[in-house]
Amino acid sequence: MRKHVMWSVGIMAALSLALAACGGGGGGGGGSDVDPTACGGAGLGCISGTITDSSGNAITTGATVTTAGVATATANAQGWYAGSSVAEGDQVICFSATGYATVCRTVSITEATNTPLSATLLPTRGAAVAIPTIENGGVGSDTTTAAQVTFTAGDVCDADGTATTGTINCYFTPVDVTDATVLAAAPLSFQATATDGSVGSMISDAMMELTCENASGDEVNICSSQTADVRIPVYGTCTVGTLAGWRYNTTTGTWSEYDTGNFTSVCGTDETDSYYGGTIDHMTWINGDRLVDDTCLTGFVYTAGTTATSVPVTVKCWGTNANWQNEVQVGSSGRFCIPVPAGYNYACNVSDSTSTLAAADNITGTAPATVVAFPLAACPADDCTDIGGFVFASPILTTTLTWGLNPADLDSHTASNAGVHVWFSDKDIDILEESVSKGSLTSAPYIALDTDDTTSYGPEITTVMPSVTDGKYCFGVHKYSGTGDISQVSTDINGAAKAATVTVQGNGLAQTFTVPSSNPSSYEYWRVYTVEFEGGVVKSGTFTAYNDLVETAETDCNW
């Protein structure tokens, strides 16, 4: 985030460990040419994205990503993360950070493909509520809302099932379900299964995440066959009477009804004295909701004309007259089928979470009353209502830089012969009469670098969109700081031998370059390639690989 080197090559880093079969817009592709080991081996994929708070700020407290309970990645200081070796198929990916509520998303992983996956986390409510002698039971209450948990003796156990003793600290994260930005930091699927086996979407007016830890900071939970009482603050419409209580399962990524009985409402004036109270047998995300029948919406995601998107994207629908949300990933055909509550108003959109770009105006309407059971045997199903298509601009080129422990800080640079220079700088410097920055995907130069990794490994990803100005562009790498020269073979995060590597994907390109191993003059600049863009695609026959080390970077991209 500081670089002041004259370098005319650029890389547009978006975010992924190995950008496999993402292909590109404008008739791109290259998926069939992708090395299946790109994400760690056969049957494995990659994930990458950002972890931010509800204001869009990067979470810098060591946010972590886990898959099936196994650590997958850690976000850097800019909130970016990337992980590989994620098993293909449906996976529950969870995002956690100290002081924030954990949130999980269910995502379909494809072999050798980077799936963009970002998360927003909500902070826990103030300081922890301490219950000093949990073996005797106790009550923990939030000071600013009606949130509360009540334990009796023997209710709480450590992870090994033994009764917890001493102090426990409990954290409440009530959710204002009427605020779409806040709701987006809750689990993004509201589909749930009732105790009688019926499936539908929850309509939520009260939601909360509840977590407790022992004195050592280890998570504790309600003991087997025990229960606790909770109160969930109501931000939406307080429904007088009784309603079901629901819990989120971070292992399966689904909601299920508690079998401990209904919740009862107490309706006051706001979230400080309105709550749904009930009995729970597990601490997690908790809802006091109504389950309604689903119907089905279907549509298509295009990159241009009638070409299906080749980049993993997500369709999300949410309520405009009730509090609910659901999301699905778009299949390889570009077709999606998504559950929405039958008869309720909806708004839908599609986004690529590498850039959190809205792909088109929202599609809105009222869902039909026809009930359609999920999951579907095939998409589209005959009963799905077609809502039309989204036009989504996919990248035409992505370039991913990874390296080993040393040198610690390598920098990606992309430049053009027309004065564009994309790199990660914290200063507004002018080079070739253009402002130096990490670029943008939604405005000129339509090239962007995702992050500046200053503490080894990467990845740094540069993305080029179809609106990029025609011309010649070059990409290169500069050693900014750290032990050894740019050609050094060091170790990766798992201790294996690793040299700096650049992977290029899109418009039929699928190439990987490893920095030259011989560098007798200790040069610090690595020229990788040049390419020409014309009409939103890679101009045929213009990709030229250099893959050499040079003493001084040129400033006009005239290699």
Side-chain angles (χ1 to χ4, degrees):
M1 283 210 35
R2 51 274 158 280
K3 337 302 184 184
H4 307 142
V5 175
M6 275 287 224
W7 180 244
S8 68
V9 141
I11 179 170
M12 207 168 135
L15 34 72
S16 152
L17 251 186
L19 229 61
C22 291
S32 61
D33 300 324
V34 174
D35 182 351
T37 65
C39 291
L44 302 175
C46 305
I47 56 174
S48 57
T50 57
I51 306 176
T52 58
D53 61 23
S54 55
S55 298
N57 300 314
I59 293 175
T60 59
T61 54
T64 59
V65 184
T66 58
T67 306
V70 177
T72 301
T74 300
N76 69 7
Q78 286 105 41
W80 293 90
Y81 81 90
S84 59
S85 301
V86 181
E88 64 180 334
D90 290 341
Q91 299 291 342
V92 180
I93 313 294
C94 295
F95 303 84
S96 305
T98 301
Y100 293 85
T102 296
V103 69
C104 302
R105 296 178 65 183
T106 302
V107 63
S108 181
I109 302 298
T110 302
E111 180 186 69
T113 298
N114 177 65
T115 297
L117 193 66
S118 293
T120 301
L121 305 186
L122 292 175
T124 54
R125 180 73 64 166
V129 175
I131 302 176
T133 53
I134 189 58
E135 58 268 33
N136 296 324
V139 178
S141 299
D142 180 22
T143 59
T144 56
T145 71
Q148 186 179 96
V149 62
T150 302
F151 300 106
T152 56
D155 279 349
V156 180
C157 284
D158 295 333
D160 61 4
T162 60
T164 304
T165 59
T167 299
I168 67 167
N169 294 313
C170 293
Y171 301 86
F172 301 96
T173 310
V175 175
D176 182 354
V177 294
T178 66
D179 184 326
T181 302
V182 175
L183 190 60
L188 289 175
S189 173
F190 270 38
Q191 276 214 298
T193 303
T195 53
D196 63 4
S198 59
V199 177
S201 288
M202 300 178 301
I203 303 297
S204 181
D205 290 304
M207 179 187 291
M208 178 177 75
E209 202 250 13
L210 172 63
T211 303
C212 295
E213 298 175 348
N214 61 22
S216 300
D218 300 318
E219 191 168 331
V220 297
N221 216 305
I222 301 171
C223 301
S224 177
S225 301
Q226 300 298 111
T227 61
D229 294 327
V230 297
R231 294 179 179 179
I232 312 173
V234 176
Y235 284 84
T237 301
C238 189
T239 301
V240 177
T242 60
L243 66 168
W246 308 86
R247 57 162 290 199
Y248 185 77
N249 189 322
T250 57
T251 300
T252 63
T254 59
W255 292 87
S256 58
E257 185 180 1
Y258 282 109
D259 58 9
T260 51
N262 287 333
F263 283 23
T264 303
S265 62
V266 173
C267 297
T269 57
D270 56 28
E271 68 275 7
T272 64
D273 58 1
S274 294
Y275 61 85
Y276 294 151
T279 302
I280 63 172
D281 58 11
H282 192 86
M283 291 184 284
T284 177
W285 281 94
I286 306 165
N287 255 304
D289 289 347
R290 309 183 301 282
L291 189 70
V292 298
D293 291 329
D294 281 327
T295 189
C296 175
L297 303 180
T298 186
F300 201 82
V301 180
Y302 307 89
T303 55
T306 58
T307 303
T309 179
S310 57
V311 177
V313 295
T314 299
V315 170
K316 177 182 175 181
C317 297
W318 62 95
T320 57
N321 63 342
N323 308 314
W324 60 270
Q325 59 189 11
N326 282 316
E327 69 170 2
V328 294
Q329 286 182 286
V330 177
S332 58
S333 67
R335 175 67 65 177
F336 66 87
C337 291
I338 187 168
V340 299
Y344 282 78
N345 294 346
Y346 64 82
C348 300
N349 210 322
V350 60
S351 66
D352 168 5
S353 59
T354 63
S355 54
T356 57
L357 293 178
D361 291 337
N362 294 341
I363 294 177
T364 61
T366 300
T370 304
V371 176
V372 179
F374 278 79
L376 298 173
C379 176
D382 291 340
D383 293 330
C384 287
T385 298
D386 198 321
I387 61 173
F390 296 98
V391 178
F392 188 87
S394 297
I396 58 174
L397 201 69
T398 52
T399 305
T400 305
L401 168 66
T402 59
W403 66 97
L405 179 63
N406 293 307
D409 189 1
L410 300 185
D411 291 334
S412 300
H413 290 257
T414 299
S416 80
N417 58 2
V420 171
H421 185 175
V422 174
W423 62 341
F424 213 110
S425 173
D426 60 358
K427 295 191 179 295
D428 186 15
I429 308 169
D430 284 337
I431 292 182
L432 301 179
E433 300 180 353
E434 292 288 336
S435 178
V436 176
S437 73
K438 64 177 182 177
S440 172
L441 298 179
T442 58
S443 60
Y446 298 99
I447 301 174
L449 173 64
D450 65 340
T451 191
D452 175 33
D453 195 326
T454 63
T455 56
S456 308
Y457 310 122
E460 293 186 2
I461 303 172
T462 299
T463 303
V464 181
M465 302 301 287
S467 297
V468 64
T469 301
D470 291 351
K472 181 180 180 180
Y473 291 75
C474 45
F475 177 85
V477 179
H478 170 232
K479 176 208 164 184
Y480 184 78
S481 66
T483 303
D485 67 37
I486 194 171
S487 66
Q488 179 172 342
V489 175
S490 185
T491 57
D492 67 13
I493 197 167
N494 297 312
K498 176 70 176 180
T501 301
V502 166
T503 301
V504 185
Q505 296 287 339
N507 272 191
L509 296 170
Q511 297 196 38
T512 298
F513 302 95
T514 301
V515 66
S517 58
S518 177
N519 189 11
S521 300
S522 297
Y523 291 155
E524 295 184 348
Y525 301 93
W526 175 22
R527 299 193 304 179
V528 184
Y529 68 81
T530 62
V531 67
E532 291 185 36
F533 300 120
E534 185 175 83
V537 298
V538 173
K539 186 178 179 180
S540 178
T542 65
F543 185 88
T544 303
Y546 284 82
N547 201 34
D548 60 0
L549 298 169
V550 294
E551 181 177 7
T552 304
E554 301 175 42
T555 58
D556 58 2
C557 198
N558 189 27
W559 296 358

